Amino acid sequence: VCYIAPMNTPDLDGYIKDGNHHMKVRVYFEDTDFSGVVYHANYLRFMERARTNYLRLLGTDHRSLFEDTTSEALGFTFVVRSMTLDFFKPSHMDDVLDIVTSPVEVKGASITLRQQCKRGENLLVEAKVRVAFVSGGKAQRIPSALRELMEVRA
Amino acid sequence: MERGRTNHLRLMGAEQNAPAETETPGFAFVVRLMKLDFHKSARMDDVLDIVTWPVAVKGASIVLAQEVRRGTDVLVAAEVRVAFISEGRAQPIPKSIRALMKADLD
């Protein structure tokens, strides 16, 4: 798995500002359920995309550090170990959502992220997500280069 | 897990001829909170067992425990709080549903 973007695509990847990753998502009909609101499990998909893009941008913004990581732990990836989700308000067709991702804790082999789904100033969903660093099929210590990248912002 | 919850409710309704439907038309449960622990992974062709049981019945919400199992292995464990919604708003859970869920708690 390689998170390094082949090209710079800010419209797709979102951006990092003050240590938080922001990504916009438009709600389409396919995202809603029979009652017309976004189906709750689809927020998990939006958040997964945001985490992927956050890592992608860390890679492009700090390419040299990220290359240290990939040489230290070849074919690394993050797997979700636990999630806590609070659903406060619904969202609907055509809404533009902002998915905000922030690292809150970096441990030996896992990282805890806070992810918020907002519509304007309204907080719709908040999640705490613990992801484990996996390389060669096993949980591994997070390489120092990657740890530094996230710790700066945590 | 959504399917597990839907069928859990469906079976409760079927057994009791859905008395809640007449009390509060057009009701639904919406997910308010989920806590998920991912312990092991499932693979192509696995047969999973989704086990759902109520752990608490409150005024307007129900807390369910759910597990995804493969044989005796627990792959994912969840706690899910669902709120009772009727006519677009959170409502107290009708006695009939409350009684059904509570019966399972004991």
Side-chain angles (χ1 to χ4, degrees):
Chain A
V1 181
C2 179
Y3 287 107
I4 295 171
M7 62 176 97
N8 213 6
T9 46
D11 293 350
L12 298 175
D13 305 339
Y15 60 92
I16 294 172
K17 190 183 165 201
D18 301 329
N20 304 316
H21 177 259
H22 294 257
M23 186 187 80
K24 296 240 186 284
V25 172
R26 166 83 73 182
V27 173
Y28 294 97
F29 185 65
E30 68 187 33
D31 300 315
T32 61
D33 67 13
F34 79 102
S35 66
V37 304
V38 170
Y39 178 61
H40 73 279
N42 285 332
Y43 292 105
L44 271 67
R45 304 194 305 130
F46 300 159
M47 288 176 174
E48 164 78 36
R49 284 188 224 167
R51 290 196 300 275
T52 302
N53 285 332
Y54 170 52
L55 274 177
R56 193 198 312 284
L57 288 180
L58 282 181
T60 51
D61 289 0
H62 303 265
R63 194 154 195 142
S64 62
L65 271 174
F66 222 63
E67 275 165 2
D68 288 348
T69 299
T70 46
S71 64
E72 222 176 301
L74 218 59
F76 73 92
T77 185
F78 285 97
V79 298
V80 176
R81 279 282 193 244
S82 69
M83 305 183 96
T84 303
L85 296 141
D86 269 298
F87 300 91
F88 298 115
K89 293 179 181 176
S91 59
H92 303 93
M93 177 76 190
D94 286 339
D95 282 355
V96 175
L97 308 177
D98 196 12
I99 314 292
V100 186
T101 303
S102 331
V104 291
E105 194 180 10
V106 184
K107 290 186 193 167
S110 73
I111 296 169
T112 304
L113 301 164
R114 182 179 60 242
Q115 296 197 280
Q116 295 182 321
C117 176
K118 292 176 160 180
R119 184 183 50 221
E121 288 304 301
N122 280 315
L123 177 61
L124 309 183
V125 182
E126 183 163 68
K128 215 173 93 179
V129 183
R130 193 161 64 82
V131 294
F133 184 80
V134 171
S135 175
K138 291 190 301 167
Q140 304 275 359
R141 234 187 120 65
I142 298 168
S144 49
L146 184 58
R147 180 188 310 279
E148 277 163 31
L149 270 180
M150 297 225 176
E151 267 174 355
V152 168
R153 299 173 154 81
Chain B
M1 289 184 165
E2 165 78 35
R3 288 189 220 170
R5 292 194 297 273
T6 303
N7 285 331
H8 174 241
L9 269 180
R10 192 199 312 285
L11 289 176
M12 292 211 140
E15 283 160 16
Q16 304 287 328
N17 293 319
E21 191 63 48
T22 54
E23 238 178 284
T24 45
F27 75 94
F29 284 98
V30 299
V31 176
R32 279 280 193 241
L33 179 88
M34 300 188 96
K35 292 179 186 174
L36 296 150
D37 275 300
F38 300 90
H39 299 298
K40 293 178 181 177
S41 42
R43 309 258 170 214
M44 177 77 187
D45 287 339
D46 282 356
V47 175
L48 306 178
D49 201 6
I50 316 295
V51 187
T52 304
W53 68 98
V55 291
V57 182
K58 295 179 191 169
S61 71
I62 295 170
V63 180
L64 299 165
Q66 295 196 282
E67 285 183 352
V68 178
R69 300 179 191 165
R70 185 183 50 220
T72 54
D73 281 351
V74 176
L75 309 185
V76 182
E79 194 188 285
V80 183
R81 191 157 66 81
V82 294
F84 185 81
I85 301 277
S86 178
E87 289 159 350
R89 292 185 307 137
Q91 305 273 359
I93 298 167
K95 282 200 185 98
S96 51
I97 294 186
R98 188 188 309 276
L100 280 173
M101 294 274 182
K102 280 225 166 113
D104 269 18
L105 282 180
D106 303 330

